[in-house]
Amino acid sequence: MCQLRLSAHADHYPLSLRELIEAGVDPHGDPALGRGLCHGCHSSETARLQPGGWHRDRDQAAEADEAEG
C-alpha cells in the first residue's frame, strides 16, 4: 500500500467480501475486517487478489494458447 494518498475506498481485509459472506460473517459489522485504501491501491489489490473481467478473459486466452502450443 502506498501510504501516500488519503483513503477513498473501504477494503475488506484480511478476508475478501466473498470469503466473509461464505463464512456467514457480516461483512460490514466489524471494523477490524476492513481497511481504508486510496483508489489506486484498492484497484491494484482487487486486480491482484480477485482477477475478473478483461483480466480474467485475457489470462484464460493465454492459457488456451499455451495448451494448443
Side-chain angles (χ1 to χ4, degrees):
M1 303 314 103
C2 74
Q3 298 181 351
L4 300 174
R5 296 179 293 264
L6 296 175
S7 64
H9 294 269
D11 184 51
H12 296 94
Y13 180 84
L15 300 174
S16 71
L17 176 60
R18 291 177 192 157
E19 291 168 325
L20 292 170
I21 291 171
E22 288 173 2
V25 176
D26 177 2
H28 307 293
D30 186 353
L33 297 175
R35 62 183 173 180
L37 296 177
C38 72
H39 177 75
C41 288
H42 185 264
S43 294
S44 295
E45 281 294 287
T46 300
R48 184 175 71 84
L49 298 173
Q50 299 176 27
W54 69 267
H55 182 78
R56 180 190 61 227
D57 295 343
R58 182 194 65 196
D59 288 351
Q60 287 175 346
E63 289 173 5
D65 288 346
E66 288 176 11
E68 291 176 7

